[in-house]
Amino acid sequence: MKLLITGGAGFIGSNFIFYMRKAHPDYDLVCLDKLTYAGNLQTLQSVMKNSKFKFTRADIADRKAVYEIFETEKPDAVVNFAAESHVDRSIENPAVFLETNVMGTQVLLDACRKYGVQRYHQVSTDEVYGDLPLDRPDLFFTEQTPLHTSSPYSASKASADLLCNAYQRTFGLSITISRCSNNYGPYQFPEKLIPLMIANALVDKPLPVYGEGLNVRDWLYVDDHCAAIDLILHKGEVGQVYNIGGHNEMKNIDIVKRILAIVGKPESLITYVTDRKGHDMRYAIDPSFIHEKLDWLPSTMFNDGIEKTVQWYLDNKEWWENIVNGEYQNYYERMYGNR
Ligand code: NAD
Ligand code: DAU
C-alpha cells in the first residue's frame, strides 16, 4: 500500500505520518507539502531517512506538479490534510484559503481520476456545520446537520466537501470525508489557542482571550483523530461522512486557566481582547455514528492529554522558539498589537 499524505509537514498531518509508521510499518508513505508558514520539515526529521518514507515539496493547487507526483509515485490512496487552517488568518486574507482549500482539493480529485487512485480521504472539520447556541447543551453536530459556515476558512472547507461529494456522484471516485472537532497535541503551530497560551505563559507574556472566553470547543487529542482516519481509510464506507469528536466540551477560559495551573503561572496573565469577527459560540460533535460503525472511541482523556501536551512544549522549546522568534512576530503584532 502506498499512501500519499498531503499537508504532512503540518500539525495533524505529521502526527498522522508518525501514527501510520507505527500502525502499518510496511506501508510506503509519501508526504506532499508546500511548506507554507505552517509546514515544518524539522517536525518530520525522525522519519526523513526511513526507506519507506519520502518527502516532496509541492503546492496542491499546482496541477502540473501534482500530476507529475501522481505519475511518478502511483499512490493507492490519498489523505488530504493540506489546507490553510487558521480562522483568524482567513479573516485577514480569504483568497489563499480558496486557492488551497478549494482549488487545491479540486486538483487532487482530478489527479485521482486521471491516475485511477482507489481511495481519496478528505480531512474536513466540524466548523462546516457553523455553531451551536450556548443555551442548548442538548444539541450536537451529526452527519445530517446542514452545512452553515461562518468564516472564510469554514466556507472554503465546506466548499471542498461539496466538491468531494460531486466527484463521488458524478465521476464515481471512492471518497470518504471526516469532520473532526478541535485537535491538540505535539507539533501544533503556536498561532492556535492551546500552544499559543502555553508558549506565552512560559515567557510571562499576556494570554489574549477573545471576548469573554465563554466560547466552547470540543477538544480531541490528535492521536485519536489519526486513529479514526486510519479506521475510515480501511473500513469506512465509500461516500460516507464521519464526524469525529470525544464529548469534551470546554470553555476557552477554562482551558487557559488549566494551562496556567499546569505551568504554575498566575491568572493575572489573562488579558481579555477584542473578539474574533463572526466568532462561533459552541462546537459539539455527536460521535455515535463512527462509534457504532467503526468501533472508534477516543483513548486519551483531556486531563492526560493536556498534561502530555504541556510537557511536550516544555521538552521541545527549540521547535516552537524557532517559530515564535521568526516571521511569526510580525503576525503576532498584526493580530494582537492593537487588539
Ligand atoms: P496546519 O496549518 O498545521 O498544517 C497545514 C499543512 O498544509 C502545512 O504543512 C502546510 O505547509 C500545508 N499546506 C498548506 N497549503 C498547502 C498547499 N497549497 N499545498 C500543499 N501543502 C499545503 O493544519 P492542521 O491543523 O494540521 O490541519 C490539517 C487539516 O485538518 C486541515 O485540512 C484542517 O482543515 C483539518 N482540521 C484541523 C483541525 C484542528 O483542530 N487543527 C480540526 C479538524 C480538521
Ligand atoms: O473545530 C475544528 C477547527 O478547530 C479546525 O477546523 C481549525 O483548523 C482549527 O484552527 C480550530 O479552529 P478554532 O478557531 O476553534 O481554533 P483556535 O485555536 O484558533 O481557537 C480556539 C478558540 O480559542 C476560539 O474560540 C478562539 C479562541 N482564541 C484563539 C486564539 C488563537 C482566543 O481566545 N485567543 C487566541 O489568541
Side-chain angles (χ1 to χ4, degrees):
M1 170 81 138
K2 187 185 264 195
L3 265 188
L4 180 71
I5 299 165
T6 62
F11 165 45
I12 308 175
S14 61
N15 278 284
F16 184 71
I17 288 170
F18 304 144
Y19 181 92
M20 294 303 273
R21 245 323 19 110
K22 276 199 202 131
H24 307 281
D26 53 322
Y27 283 15
D28 286 299
L29 307 181
V30 178
C31 170
L32 181 167
D33 198 294
K34 184 180 177 183
L35 297 181
T36 66
Y37 78 92
N40 190 342
L41 269 191
Q42 219 190 321
T43 303
L44 295 175
Q45 232 173 13
S46 64
V47 287
M48 273 314 218
K49 291 207 173 106
N50 189 300
S51 60
K52 296 187 94 46
F53 176 80
K54 186 170 170 186
F55 177 82
T56 174
R57 186 173 190 176
D59 181 342
I60 58 164
D62 180 343
R63 189 171 291 273
K64 188 164 169 284
V66 168
Y67 283 6
E68 274 170 21
I69 291 165
F70 274 65
E71 173 100 48
T72 317
E73 298 298 340
K74 302 185 174 39
D76 300 300
V78 174
V79 183
N80 180 26
F81 292 93
E84 288 293 334
S85 69
H86 194 38
V87 173
D88 292 324
R89 289 188 194 252
S90 83
I91 295 166
E92 194 185 37
N93 177 19
V96 67
F97 283 72
L98 301 190
E99 282 154 25
T100 288
N101 301 1
V102 185
M103 301 314 289
T105 297
Q106 193 224 348
V107 168
L108 291 174
L109 293 169
D110 281 342
C112 286
R113 280 185 71 203
K114 187 171 161 72
Y115 295 97
V117 174
Q118 294 160 22
R119 192 62 176 264
Y120 176 92
H121 181 73
Q122 177 72 1
V123 180
S124 186
T125 167
D126 61 356
E127 295 201 18
V128 298
Y129 298 123
D131 64 351
L132 297 164
L134 287 183
D135 61 356
R136 289 293 308 274
D138 55 314
L139 296 181
F140 296 92
F141 297 139
T142 71
E143 286 78 3
Q144 282 70 47
T145 302
L147 303 186
H148 185 77
T149 56
S150 311
S151 70
Y153 163 71
S154 55
S156 70
K157 293 295 290 184
S159 306
D161 286 10
L162 292 174
L163 264 182
C164 289
N165 290 340
Y167 272 63
Q168 151 91 30
R169 169 139 181 182
T170 308
F171 303 118
L173 268 191
S174 296
I175 290 172
T176 45
I177 298 175
S178 55
R179 296 182 179 146
C180 190
S181 61
N182 285 62
N183 285 212
Y184 68 101
Y187 297 109
Q188 186 166 30
F189 194 84
E191 67 192 349
K192 305 283 166 45
L193 179 77
I194 288 183
L196 185 145
M197 297 299 165
I198 297 172
N200 281 17
L202 290 177
V203 296
D204 299 304
K205 263 177 90 164
L207 271 47
V209 172
Y210 298 167
E212 296 177 82
L214 300 179
N215 306 67
V216 169
R217 296 293 183 265
D218 185 356
W219 294 94
L220 186 73
Y221 193 66
V222 62
D223 273 357
D224 284 321
H225 186 184
C226 296
I229 294 174
D230 184 17
L231 271 177
I232 295 167
L233 202 56
H234 292 93
K235 297 187 179 153
E237 191 189 328
V238 165
Q240 188 61 57
V241 171
Y242 294 88
N243 283 356
I244 308 172
H247 278 309
N248 184 56
E249 291 175 49
M250 291 182 75
K251 287 191 200 107
N252 293 340
I253 189 65
D254 294 336
I255 296 265
V256 172
K257 287 183 178 170
R258 174 72 67 83
I259 290 168
L260 285 169
I262 297 174
V263 299
K265 298 287 174 133
E267 289 188 7
S268 56
L269 283 175
I270 295 172
T271 316
Y272 293 93
V273 300
T274 308
D275 210 351
R276 174 184 279 174
K277 287 191 176 78
H279 198 173
D280 282 337
M281 277 321 296
R282 170 175 169 250
Y283 301 148
I285 286 273
D286 173 357
S288 47
F289 184 73
I290 189 168
H291 176 54
E292 278 159 26
K293 296 290 176 190
L294 302 179
D295 202 21
W296 175 88
L297 276 178
S299 63
T300 300
M301 294 302 103
F302 188 76
N303 282 347
D304 297 335
I306 192 69
E307 296 263 358
K308 271 203 282 189
T309 302
V310 170
Q311 194 58 49
W312 187 88
Y313 281 86
L314 280 167
D315 294 342
N316 293 274
K317 275 194 175 160
E318 202 192 319
W319 183 88
W320 58 267
E321 279 175 354
N322 279 344
I323 295 170
V324 299
N325 292 331
E327 161 60 26
Y328 181 79
Q329 289 187 349
N330 297 331
Y331 164 80
Y332 200 90
E333 185 51 34
R334 283 201 317 276
M335 201 56 75
Y336 298 96
N338 283 320
R339 197 157 184 156

